[in-house]
Each structure stands twice: as C-alpha cells, then as structure tokens.
C-alpha cells in the first residue's frame, strides 16, 4: 500500500521530492556507478606540432615525371608515435596515392622496411624524431623501385631461396613420425638467428651488397645459411671402438705401461682392505704404541705395487700418462683425432642451419657458399648490424661461417 | 640490303624480351597463343610510341616488369594471359 501511495503522489510533489532525494542519495552514498563529473567538453586544443616529412615519390603510370621528394606536413599531436602512423595519416588525409607496404604494424612482418633519415628500419618500429627537423623517408637504398616506397624484393628472396633454408638430413629421423630431438644447449645456439623476419634492412644497408647484388648473398641470406648446418653431429657410434675396453681387463692394448698399471690396479684391489686396516691402526692415537709399531711393520711388508698412489690413469690407446681426461679415458691427442673423425658419440665441433644440430648437410652448405662472391664479398662493414630493426647481428654469423670455412 | 640501325643495349633487351614472349606463347594452346601475341604486341607497340626513348628509368622499369611477367608465363601451369581496362 505504501508503494501504491508512492505511485499516486502528484507530479508536483514528486518533482519536489526527487531532487532532494537524489541530493541526499548522492551525499550519503557516493556510488561508483554514479555519473562521474562530465569530462571537459574539449581538451584545451593541444598546440599543433607540425612536422615536415619529405617522402620519395615516383609513379610508374606517369612515366615522364622523375622521382622526387614531396613534402607533407603532419600534426604530431594528433598522430601516433611511429613513422608508420604518420605515413598512414598522410595517406588517409592528404594524399591517398602514397604507396608503401605495411601489414602488422608491430615489427614482426617486415613489410614496412624503408630508409628513414638515412637509416634503414621498419616504419612501424621507428619513432618519429622531434618536430624541429624535417624527416626524409625514402625506399630501401639501391633497390629497384616499383612505386613510391615499394621496392622489388625478388632478388633478395631468390638469394634466400638459394641458401636452401630448410632442414636436410641424410638418414631418416631417429624416431619415425616424431620430431628430431635437440638439446637445450643446441637450441640456444639458434637464438639470434631464428628471429630474422627477412625485412631486408641489413642487406640493403651493406655497400658491398649495393655493388654486387646479384652475386653477393647479403647479410640476411648468410645469416640464414649459418642457421642450418651443424658440423659432424649425429655421428654414428662405431660399434667396435669401446666394446672390448672395460675398466679392467682391456685387451688389445699392447702397451707395456698400461699392462703394468693394470697389474698395480689388481694388486691394489687385492690388498685394499688389509692395507686400509693396517694404516688405520697405525694412525690411531688411542692404541698402545707397540701395537701400532707392529702394524706399521706389517704395512711396510705389503707389496709396493699394492699402493693406491702408484695408480695412474693412462690413455687407453697410447698409454700416455699426462693430459688424460677421465671422461674419455684418453689423452688429448687421441681425443682430438677420434673426435675429428667422428668416432666419439655426441662429440662435435660447435657450430650454428650450419648451426642447427638437426641438419646434416653442413659440409655441402659450406661448400655451396664458398666462392669468391657469395660469401667473401663481405668485408665486415657492419652496416647490417647497425640497421637490423630486430637487433640481430648478421655480421657475427657471417664471421662464424668464415671461421668454419677455414676449418673445413 | 638495307643497313640495319645499330641497336643500343637497351633496345636489344626490349627486343629480347619481345622474342621471349613470343617463344613462350608458342608453348601454349593455339588460341591462347594468338591472344598472348596480340596483347603483348599491342603493349610493346603502345609503349614504343608513347614512351620517350631517353626515359631510361621508365624503360628499365617496364623491362623489369616484363621480365617478371615472362617468368610467370613460362610456368607450365599457367594457361594464358588476360588484360583489364581501367577507366580513369
């Protein structure tokens, strides 16, 4: 009935009541859903921050015009921070005919690679420098221009293809139908190479690539070449090598020193308990001196060759006493010889596709690029490392390939 | 015999490209061949008339474009060429 009474209240009364009620409500219960004070109707107009962009333009459809730089004014206060934002703003508002490649706007596709203020980079990752100076945007240097900022990448892609950037194996994977396993350490070697997005910033910044674009592969393709092969991995263990070599009783090693050492080991084993016992008694200060003396005498009577100190880990192949590694039971010389032959399971020279432990075609890959032009046009100018928008170091990878060529 | 004009390198390239197109057209079916030949020759003649012979930049651009199109045409899976007229 109270509700009904409320409803029947006259409009005037209701009008009187409601503001008071609402005021009370507002005062007593500040609610998060209550209307926030309306936002200022318009922000005080940010001062127009104009920046000039000089953009390379060339239209193949009007053949008589030469390529030229056209100036565009952009209000930076109304524009995103990256050069790509400015380009899109120009395209949307001022000149729709401006042509450029772009796709992801986040630096992962590599489409928007261009030359900004003299440095190659991705437009979506390059911040606009301050409004004070004009910026020049031009296509990647020394590449054929198709239109405005779009360049012809076919040569670049065909060089990438020529490196055969896929895994190649000589024998089938160890487990049919499953992935080829790789240790964490081996996978860690691929870091710094797999992130390459083929944007071509590095190759087009290399003067050596400018002068020989057809023959020299360029930092990007070489980086991918380095990614794949791995030196002598997946060596099949030779079955006979270690089978007869046990901790004791190795036969077939006709080396006097090893035989003698073996004899010492046998004796040491035989007298081990006894010797330790005598020694313990000798050294025990709580025992009477004559007893200790007696055991001292007994200890001295034990054969000399039963002493542990006379044992020496010798190389099992050559009998060399020095530079013997416990893990392999051989001296450094034999280790090196066998490792290079590939007869030691799991031992390989560290290297990167050349570096990928799963790829077996290292030697062929190295040979393929080992001619005067493909690899050796690189004179470590290092422009590529400076240009790479992903922060990779193609120069370093090229360096490792060159080192491998020396070893190969 | 009329003395043939000495052709410049770039002229030779253009003619070589034209020859390449005609040869590739031979490998396609007969009516496609006729169509390719007519399209290609029309384009070459148009450009020969309209493009200034000193405009190397543009001529080289057209050569590159033509070479790429020829590579695509050479592919045995491609059966023919078609053109679109864009009214400005």
């Amino acid at each position: 009935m109270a509700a009904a009474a409320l409803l029947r209240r006259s409009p005037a009364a209701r009008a009187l009541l409601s503001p008071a009620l609402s005021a009370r409500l507002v005062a007593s219960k500040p609610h998060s859903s209550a209307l926030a004070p309306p936002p200022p109707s318009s922000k005080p107009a940010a001062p127009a921050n104009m920046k000039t962009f000089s953009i390379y333009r060339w239209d193949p459809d009007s053949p008589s015009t030469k390529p030229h730089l056209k100036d565009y004014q952009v209000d930076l206060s109304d524009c995103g921070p990256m050069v790509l934002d400015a380009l899109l703003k120009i395209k949307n508002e001022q000149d729709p005919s401006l042509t450029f490649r772009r796709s992801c706007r986040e630096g992962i596709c590599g489409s928007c690679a261009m030359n900004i203020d003299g440095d190659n980079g991705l437009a979506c990752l390059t911040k606009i420098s301050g409004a004070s100076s004009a910026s020049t945007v031009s296509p990647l240097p020394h590449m054929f221009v198709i239109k405005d900022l779009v360049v012809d990448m076919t040569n670049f892609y065909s060089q990438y293809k020529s490196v055969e950037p896929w895994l190649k194996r000589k024998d089938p994977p160890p487990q049919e139908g499953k992935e080829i396993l790789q240790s964490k350490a081996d996978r860690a070697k691929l870091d710094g190479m797999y992130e390459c997005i083929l944007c071509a910033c590095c190759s087009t910044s290399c003067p050596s690539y400018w002068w020989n674009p057809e023959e020299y592969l360029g930092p990007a393709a070489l980086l991918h070449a380095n990614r794949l092969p791995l030196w002598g991995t997946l060596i099949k263990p030779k079955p006979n090598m270690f089978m007869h070599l046990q901790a004791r009783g190795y036969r077939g090693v006709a080396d006097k020193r090893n035989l003698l050492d073996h004899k010492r080991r046998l004796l040491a084993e035989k007298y081990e308990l006894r010797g330790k016992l005598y020694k313990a008694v000798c050294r025990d200060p709580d025992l009477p001196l004559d007893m200790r003396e007696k055991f001292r005498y007994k200890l001295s009577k034990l054969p000399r060759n039963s002493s542990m100190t006379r044992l020496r880990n010798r190389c099992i192949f050559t009998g060399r006493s020095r530079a013997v590694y416990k893990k392999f039971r051989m001296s450094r010389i034999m280790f090196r010889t066998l490792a290079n032959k590939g007869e030691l399971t799991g031992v390989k020279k560290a290297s990167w596709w050349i570096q990928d432990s799963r790829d077996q075609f290292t030697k062929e890959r190295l040979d393929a690029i080992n001619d005067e032009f493909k690899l050796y046009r690189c004179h470590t100018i290092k422009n590529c490392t400076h240009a790479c928008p992903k922060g990779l170091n193609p120069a370093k990878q090229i360096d490792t390939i060159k080192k491998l060529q020396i070893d190969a | 015999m009329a003395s043939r004009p000495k052709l410049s390198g770039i002229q030779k390239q253009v003619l070589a490209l034209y020859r390449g197109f005609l040869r590739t057209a031979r490998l396609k079916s007969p009516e496609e061949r006729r169509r390719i030949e007519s399209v290609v020759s029309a384009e070459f003649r148009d450009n020969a008339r309209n493009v200034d012979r000193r405009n190397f930049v543009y001529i080289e651009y057209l050569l590159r474009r033509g070479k790429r199109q020829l590579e695509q045409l050479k592919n045995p899976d491609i059966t023919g060429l078609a053109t679109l007229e864009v009214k400005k």
Side-chain angles (χ1 to χ4, degrees), chain A residues 58 60 63 144-146 152, chain B residues 55 57-58 61 64 68 88:
Chain A
W58 181 63
F144 290 121
V145 176
I146 299 176
D152 186 357
Chain B
N55 192 352
V57 177
Y58 188 57
Y61 163 77
R64 266 177 268 129
R68 208 174 313 133
K88 289 235 162 127

Side-chain angles (χ1 to χ4, degrees), chain A residues 91-149:
Chain A
K91 190 174 168 73
N92 291 337
E93 293 169 12
Q94 296 178 41
D95 188 352
S97 68
L98 177 62
T99 311
F100 51 96
R101 286 189 177 121
R102 78 276 184 211
S103 180
C104 69
R105 60 105 177 88
E106 61 183 0
I108 199 72
C109 68
S111 313
C112 54
M114 52 185 79
N115 187 307
I116 298 158
D117 290 326
D119 279 325
N120 287 351
L122 298 174
C124 54
L125 289 183
T126 312
K127 291 202 182 61
I128 304 175
S129 59
S132 44
S133 52
S135 262
T136 312
V137 178
S138 56
L140 291 175
H142 220 274
M143 285 272 201
F144 290 121
V145 176
I146 299 176
K147 184 174 179 182
D148 291 347
L149 299 170

Side-chain angles (χ1 to χ4, degrees), chain B residues 20-73:
Chain B
F21 269 109
L22 294 181
R23 283 181 185 154
T24 318
R26 257 187 254 163
L27 305 170
K28 311 284 176 196
S29 70
E31 72 272 20
E32 261 315 309
R33 181 185 170 177
R34 256 177 278 129
R35 186 169 336 147
I36 294 174
E37 279 176 5
S38 69
V39 165
V40 166
S41 67
E43 173 128 13
F44 271 82
R45 279 183 209 282
D46 266 338
N47 284 335
R49 197 165 1 111
N50 300 337
V51 179
D52 180 19
R53 60 168 58 192
R54 284 164 299 175
N55 192 352
F56 302 122
V57 177
Y58 188 57
I59 296 174
E60 279 166 9
Y61 163 77
L62 288 171
L63 273 172
R64 266 177 268 129
R65 206 185 73 175
K67 278 200 193 108
R68 208 174 313 133
Q69 287 168 333
L70 181 58
E71 288 301 316
Q72 287 181 328
L73 196 61

Side-chain angles (χ1 to χ4, degrees), chain A residues 110-403:
Chain A
S111 313
C112 54
M114 52 185 79
N115 187 307
I116 298 158
D117 290 326
D119 279 325
N120 287 351
L122 298 174
C124 54
L125 289 183
T126 312
K127 291 202 182 61
I128 304 175
S129 59
S132 44
S133 52
S135 262
T136 312
V137 178
S138 56
L140 291 175
H142 220 274
M143 285 272 201
F144 290 121
V145 176
I146 299 176
K147 184 174 179 182
D148 291 347
L149 299 170
V150 175
V151 295
D152 186 357
M153 301 276 272
T154 42
N155 185 31
F156 179 74
Y157 294 142
S158 64
Q159 282 168 336
Y160 176 62
K161 186 174 167 185
S162 75
V163 147
E164 297 195 342
W166 53 81
L167 211 56
K168 299 201 289 192
R169 290 180 66 85
K170 290 183 179 153
D171 35 65
Q175 285 171 292
E176 201 53 58
K178 293 200 159 186
E179 316 96 341
I180 301 166
L181 297 177
Q182 194 178 37
S183 71
K184 276 193 187 169
D186 280 340
R187 172 61 185 81
K189 286 188 204 156
L190 293 171
D191 291 334
M193 287 190 252
Y194 77 89
E195 302 100 329
C196 174
I197 53 178
L198 292 173
C199 63
C201 283
C202 59
S203 289
T204 46
S205 66
C206 177
S208 203
Y209 189 77
W210 294 341
W211 317 140
N212 300 298
E214 268 100 50
E215 298 104 354
Y216 177 40
L217 290 179
L222 288 173
L223 180 135
H224 283 275
N226 195 32
R227 193 179 170 245
L228 285 158
L230 187 52
W231 184 272
T233 18
L234 305 169
I235 302 136
K236 288 190 271 280
K238 289 268 166 76
N240 284 327
M241 195 44 72
F242 293 146
M243 253 160 35
H244 60 291
L245 292 167
Q246 303 297 323
R248 316 176 155 203
Y250 32 77
R251 268 157 281 195
V253 182
D255 197 327
K256 173 183 144 202
R257 298 177 293 182
N258 277 329
L259 290 172
L260 287 174
D261 182 71
H262 183 53
K263 195 174 88 172
R264 285 186 192 109
R265 284 176 199 265
L266 292 175
L267 275 174
E269 202 209 337
K270 180 175 169 198
Y271 288 96
E272 185 186 356
L273 188 63
R274 229 180 298 176
K276 281 207 164 40
L277 188 68
Y278 293 169
K279 188 115 190 229
V281 171
C282 281
R283 290 201 162 219
D284 191 351
D286 300 328
L287 289 173
L289 265 170
D290 58 341
M291 189 172 183
R292 282 167 81 180
E293 193 52 51
K294 193 173 86 172
F295 278 94
R296 182 79 192 79
Y297 176 70
K298 281 189 152 181
L299 186 57
S300 70
K301 277 278 176 225
L302 288 178
R304 282 206 179 147
N305 277 340
S306 62
S307 162
M308 297 277 232
T309 55
R310 279 181 173 237
L311 301 180
R312 179 83 189 182
N313 284 338
R314 285 185 177 272
C315 170
I316 52 179
F317 295 102
T318 56
R320 195 160 196 267
S321 63
R322 295 193 164 107
V324 176
Y325 290 90
K326 270 201 191 151
K327 191 163 191 165
F328 298 96
R329 290 171 287 148
M330 60 178 110
S331 77
R332 59 173 178 84
I333 305 166
M334 280 314 293
F335 173 81
R336 207 180 110 82
T337 326
L338 292 181
N340 279 338
K341 270 202 254 173
E343 286 167 19
L344 293 178
T345 346
V347 177
K348 54 184 168 39
K349 270 188 163 222
S351 132
W352 245 113
W353 286 117
I354 289 173
Q355 296 282 350
D356 192 325
S357 56
R358 299 167 292 175
D359 181 280
Q360 294 173 323
F361 272 75
T362 315
K363 196 161 182 319
E364 286 86 345
R365 285 186 196 268
L366 285 174
D367 288 339
I369 52 176
N370 191 9
D371 75 2
E372 205 203 298
F373 272 104
K374 296 205 184 75
L375 172 63
Y376 290 103
R377 283 297 105 198
C378 172
H379 302 300
T380 49
I381 300 171
K382 300 278 194 127
N383 267 6
C384 48
T385 316
H386 176 77
C388 181
K390 303 292 281 183
L392 304 180
N393 194 346
K396 183 165 141 223
Q397 313 305 342
I398 298 177
D399 212 40
T400 48
I401 304 181
K402 286 184 186 167
K403 284 201 205 115

